[in-house]
Amino acid sequence: MKSGNPVSLTNLSEWSDLSRHYELISKKDLKALFEEDPSRADKFSLQGAGLFLDYSKNRITAETMEKLFSLAKRCDVSGKIEAMFNGEKINQTEKRAVLHIALRAPSSQHIFLDGVDVVGEVHETLSRMADFVRRIHDGTWKGYTGKPIRNIVNIGIGGSDLGPVMAYEALKFYSHREMTFRFVSNIDGTDFVEATRDIDPSETLFILSSKTFTTLETMTNASTARNWLLSALGSQDAVSRHFVAVSTNRAEVMKFGIDPENMFGFGDWVGGRYSMDSAIGLSIMLAVGPVHFYEMLAGFHEMDEHFRKTPMEENLPVIMGLLSLWENNFFGSATRGIFPYEQYLKRFPAYLQQLTMESNGKHTTMSGNRVTYDTCPVFWGEPGTNGQHSFYQLIHQGTRVIPSDLIGFFHSLNPVGPHHQILLANLFAQSEALAFGLSPEALRKQGVAEELIPHKVCEGNRPTNVILADRLTPATLGRLVALYEHSVFVQGAIWEIDSFDQWGVELGKVLAQRIIPELGEQSGPALSHDSSTNRLIELFRKKRLKGA
Ligand code: G6Q
C-alpha cells in the first residue's frame, strides 16, 4: 500500500485473510500448538545481529507468519525501509528525512541529504565529542577555579534525557566510576536540587541537551543551574568552563552564554527519541569513554544492516513488529510488557515507552484520514524478577492478556554466587508458565483442595518473546535499541502513520504557557477556562498567594 493509497488497511485482502485466520487460531491455545508441532521452538526462533529471539510462544502457526509477511509486502514495508535509508522525507508532516541510521554508519559510508554527506558531518561531531571527553577525563579541561571536572549533570527532557539516562544505567559497568553523573529533566525544582545538593560547583559540568534549546523545562533548569554556579563561583566568566550545549539551535546557545566552540550539533533529521546515539549521547560518552561509545554505535549499525538486508522471514525487527501488530490488531491486546532480566536495564522500559508510544501513538494516516484500526499498544514494564512479586499476578491470572518481551543474558557482568542462574531460571520459568499455565488436573495431582482449585488455576496461553544475548556490552545495547526502533518502524509502516512526528507532545509544550502567569496573580482579568480549571487556579492562588 503506497502512501496516499485510498484503500484502507482493513479493506486489504491480506488483512481480511488474517482476520479469517485469527478465527481459527484463537480457538487453539499455546499448549495445543506445541503438542501439534514438536519442532515449534526450532521453527520460530532465530539469531541475527548478535541477538537470539525465541518467538515460538506466540499465538501463531507457520501460516500466520506467511500471512503477516504477505501483509508487510502489500504495505511495501521493504520499500519504506529503503526510503528511510535513502534519506527520503518520510516524516511527511514535518517534511523531514529520518536518518538516525546515519548516526551509526561507519565513516566509509556516504548518505547524501540535499547534496551534503551527513555521515561525514556525524563523524566530525563524534571526533569533536571524543576530543572533548578526553580533555575532561585527563583533566586538561579545567573548571573556572582550575579544578578538574568530576561531576557531569545532563539537563534535558524527553528524547534529550531518556536515552542518555537509560544508556548510562545500562552501561554503568563500563563507566568511569570516579566521576558522578546526574540527569535533571523535571520542571519540579526537586529534581535539580536533589541532583546538585552534594556536588561541588567548581568541579561540575552541565550539559544542556536540547534540540530546540527552547523547551520550557530544560531552559528553566538551565537558568537555575547558571544561578547555582554563579552564586558559588561569583563570575559570569565561569559559565564557559562549566556549561556545554548539545543542540541544533546555535543562536539560542550563544544567547545563553555558551561559546559555539563548546556546542555539539546534529541534524534536524534526528528525532528526539532517536537521538541517544547522536551528540545527545555526550553524557553517555563521558561516562563510558569514546571507545565504548563507538562500540555501541557499531552494535546499532549491525542491527541496521540486518534490518535493511535480511529477508523478512529472518528479519528480527520485522518479525517483532508483525507479532506486536498481530496481538494488537487481531487479539486486541492493548498493552505489551517489557521485562528485562538484567538490573542494568532498569530504565529500558521507560525508554521504550517513549520510543514506541510517541512514535506510533497516532490516530491519523499519512493521507490525513482517521485510522479505522488500533495503532500503538501501551508499553510498560519493570526489571525481572522484581515484577514477579507484584504485577505478574495480573499477567498470569488477570482477565486481559498481556503479551510480553522477556530480555536476558547468558553471562552476568557481576557473577556472584548462584544469582545469575536463579535469575535466568526465573525468566525461562515465567515464559513457560505464561504459555502453559497450571491446569485443574495438575493442581488435583498436587493434592490441592477442590475449593481452592479455581483460584489457583492459571489458564496460560499468554504470549512471550524471549530475547537473549551473550552479555550486556555497549554493542549489545546498540543492537537492542535498534531492534526496537526498527520494529516500531515496521508497525508504523503498516498502520500508514507518521512514526516520526509528535504533535501531541508539541501541544503539551504550549499548554501551560497560558496558565503560568495566571498562577502568579492574586487577581486579574476574569479567568476564562472551563469551570474546573478556573477553580483549580483559584484554589492555588488562595493557598499560595493569600497564605490560606
Ligand atoms: C522526542 C520528542 C520530545 C523531545 C523533548 C525535548 O522525540 O520530540 O521528547 O525530545 O520535548 O525537546 P528538546 O530536545 O528540543 O528540548
Side-chain angles (χ1 to χ4, degrees), residues 442-547:
L443 287 162
R444 259 178 219 117
K445 265 194 206 148
Q446 290 172 14
V448 173
E450 206 54 36
E451 69 272 20
L452 267 184
I453 287 183
H455 298 281
K456 289 199 160 190
V457 161
C458 290
E459 291 168 347
N461 207 26
R462 269 68 171 157
T464 53
N465 288 321
V466 174
I467 301 167
L468 297 169
D470 248 13
R471 53 170 54 76
L472 180 54
T473 61
T476 311
L477 181 69
R479 294 175 186 126
L480 206 51
V481 173
L483 169 69
Y484 279 96
E485 284 179 349
H486 298 322
S487 132
V488 161
F489 180 93
V490 169
Q491 292 167 80
I494 295 178
W495 290 324
E496 221 221 334
I497 53 179
D498 190 333
S499 299
F500 302 100
D501 62 11
Q502 55 281 314
W503 297 105
V505 171
E506 302 306 327
L507 171 69
K509 288 189 177 186
V510 293
L511 277 182
Q513 296 291 358
R514 183 173 156 210
I515 297 182
I516 292 168
E518 292 174 344
L519 293 188
E521 297 160 356
Q522 286 209 15
S523 59
L527 295 170
S528 55
H529 304 270
D530 59 275
S531 60
S532 161
T533 311
N534 285 348
R535 195 176 151 75
L536 293 171
I537 294 171
E538 275 155 11
L539 205 57
F540 180 90
R541 285 174 168 175
K542 203 162 135 200
K543 289 279 177 199
R544 289 287 308 273
L545 304 177
K546 296 182 185 152

Side-chain angles (χ1 to χ4, degrees), residues 153-272:
V153 182
N154 184 73
I155 297 184
I157 196 165
S160 301
D161 167 68
L162 285 161
V165 187
M166 181 279 289
Y168 166 68
E169 292 293 345
L171 301 179
K172 206 177 219 170
F173 181 81
Y174 305 91
S175 69
H176 283 247
R177 302 288 187 154
E178 71 285 4
M179 294 180 77
T180 300
F181 291 85
R182 300 274 161 82
F183 297 83
V184 175
S185 55
N186 204 332
I187 189 66
D188 184 339
T190 297
D191 205 9
F192 180 85
V193 170
E194 285 294 336
T196 51
R197 65 190 295 278
D198 56 352
I199 56 177
D200 178 351
S202 65
E203 298 179 334
T204 300
L205 178 86
F206 289 97
I207 305 175
L208 305 185
S209 296
S210 175
K211 182 173 170 180
T212 55
F213 226 72
T214 54
T215 305
L216 178 65
E217 290 88 338
T218 301
M219 296 329 294
T220 308
N221 277 319
S223 95
T224 301
R226 187 171 45 194
N227 294 341
W228 177 83
L229 186 95
L230 293 184
S231 69
L233 303 185
S235 163
Q236 192 65 35
D237 295 343
V239 172
S240 66
R241 305 309 302 159
H242 293 269
F243 282 85
V244 296
V246 179
S247 184
T248 55
N249 191 343
R250 193 183 159 96
E252 284 300 318
V253 167
M254 285 172 72
K255 232 191 256 173
F256 187 88
I258 294 175
D259 184 344
E261 280 291 299
N262 301 330
M263 167 181 162
F264 302 89
F266 53 102
D268 71 355
W269 38 267
V270 184

Side-chain angles (χ1 to χ4, degrees), residues 37-285:
D37 182 359
S39 65
R40 223 181 135 77
D42 278 344
K43 212 176 265 173
F44 300 121
S45 59
L46 76 151
Q47 209 144 3
L51 299 182
F52 171 81
L53 168 68
D54 177 349
Y55 61 102
S56 62
K57 295 193 192 93
N58 277 278
R59 302 185 274 187
I60 51 159
T61 60
E63 209 185 330
T64 321
M65 293 313 294
E66 275 164 30
K67 290 182 191 308
L68 286 167
F69 293 131
S70 298
L71 178 71
K73 282 172 195 154
R74 178 70 194 271
C75 295
D76 193 27
V77 169
S78 307
K80 290 175 182 175
I81 294 173
E82 270 316 289
M84 171 171 74
F85 276 83
N86 288 331
E88 286 178 35
K89 301 212 159 116
I90 61 164
N91 177 355
Q92 290 184 11
T93 70
E94 294 180 332
K95 298 189 174 48
R96 283 178 183 160
V98 173
L99 276 173
H100 44 276
I101 51 100
L103 296 169
R104 52 265 192 151
S107 53
S108 53
Q109 199 175 324
H110 303 287
I111 301 173
F112 288 94
L113 186 64
D114 302 327
V116 177
D117 176 19
V118 294
V119 180
E121 280 182 354
V122 163
H123 281 271
E124 213 178 291
T125 304
L126 281 170
S127 303
R128 285 185 56 230
M129 286 164 66
D131 179 56
F132 173 71
V133 167
R134 284 190 196 104
R135 281 189 288 150
I136 294 283
H137 285 171
D138 68 17
T140 328
W141 176 292
K142 294 198 173 13
Y144 179 65
T145 63
K147 288 191 188 170
I149 298 295
R150 291 165 40 87
N151 315 309
I152 306 290
V153 182
N154 184 73
I155 297 184
I157 196 165
S160 301
D161 167 68
L162 285 161
V165 187
M166 181 279 289
Y168 166 68
E169 292 293 345
L171 301 179
K172 206 177 219 170
F173 181 81
Y174 305 91
S175 69
H176 283 247
R177 302 288 187 154
E178 71 285 4
M179 294 180 77
T180 300
F181 291 85
R182 300 274 161 82
F183 297 83
V184 175
S185 55
N186 204 332
I187 189 66
D188 184 339
T190 297
D191 205 9
F192 180 85
V193 170
E194 285 294 336
T196 51
R197 65 190 295 278
D198 56 352
I199 56 177
D200 178 351
S202 65
E203 298 179 334
T204 300
L205 178 86
F206 289 97
I207 305 175
L208 305 185
S209 296
S210 175
K211 182 173 170 180
T212 55
F213 226 72
T214 54
T215 305
L216 178 65
E217 290 88 338
T218 301
M219 296 329 294
T220 308
N221 277 319
S223 95
T224 301
R226 187 171 45 194
N227 294 341
W228 177 83
L229 186 95
L230 293 184
S231 69
L233 303 185
S235 163
Q236 192 65 35
D237 295 343
V239 172
S240 66
R241 305 309 302 159
H242 293 269
F243 282 85
V244 296
V246 179
S247 184
T248 55
N249 191 343
R250 193 183 159 96
E252 284 300 318
V253 167
M254 285 172 72
K255 232 191 256 173
F256 187 88
I258 294 175
D259 184 344
E261 280 291 299
N262 301 330
M263 167 181 162
F264 302 89
F266 53 102
D268 71 355
W269 38 267
V270 184
R273 57 196 173 275
Y274 296 89
S275 68
M276 60 168 273
D277 45 343
S278 72
I280 289 289
L282 182 61
S283 54
I284 309 170
M285 197 193 264

Side-chain angles (χ1 to χ4, degrees), residues 13-25:
S13 59
E14 288 79 0
W15 189 276
S16 318
D17 210 15
L18 277 162
S19 301
R20 278 191 298 273
H21 178 70
Y22 161 76
E23 295 302 330
L24 297 175
I25 292 291

Side-chain angles (χ1 to χ4, degrees), residues 362-475:
K362 313 280 163 72
H363 57 44
T364 306
T365 66
M366 288 281 202
S367 31
N369 299 316
R370 170 90 197 192
V371 295
T372 53
Y373 37 87
D374 280 323
T375 58
C376 194
V378 172
F379 279 74
W380 59 283
E382 274 288 317
T385 60
N386 295 1
Q388 289 175 209
H389 297 265
S390 62
F391 53 77
Y392 272 45
Q393 163 62 34
L394 183 148
I395 307 179
H396 284 287
Q397 288 192 313
T399 52
R400 293 186 174 91
V401 170
I402 319 256
S404 33
D405 297 348
L406 309 182
I407 304 166
F409 299 90
F410 295 115
H411 301 283
S412 169
L413 294 173
N414 297 298
V416 269
H419 288 252
H420 198 62
Q421 206 169 323
I422 300 174
L423 178 70
L424 269 280
N426 271 280
L427 188 165
F428 299 152
Q430 287 298 325
S431 164
E432 186 177 28
L434 287 165
F436 305 114
L438 188 53
S439 68
E441 298 74 47
L443 287 162
R444 259 178 219 117
K445 265 194 206 148
Q446 290 172 14
V448 173
E450 206 54 36
E451 69 272 20
L452 267 184
I453 287 183
H455 298 281
K456 289 199 160 190
V457 161
C458 290
E459 291 168 347
N461 207 26
R462 269 68 171 157
T464 53
N465 288 321
V466 174
I467 301 167
L468 297 169
D470 248 13
R471 53 170 54 76
L472 180 54
T473 61

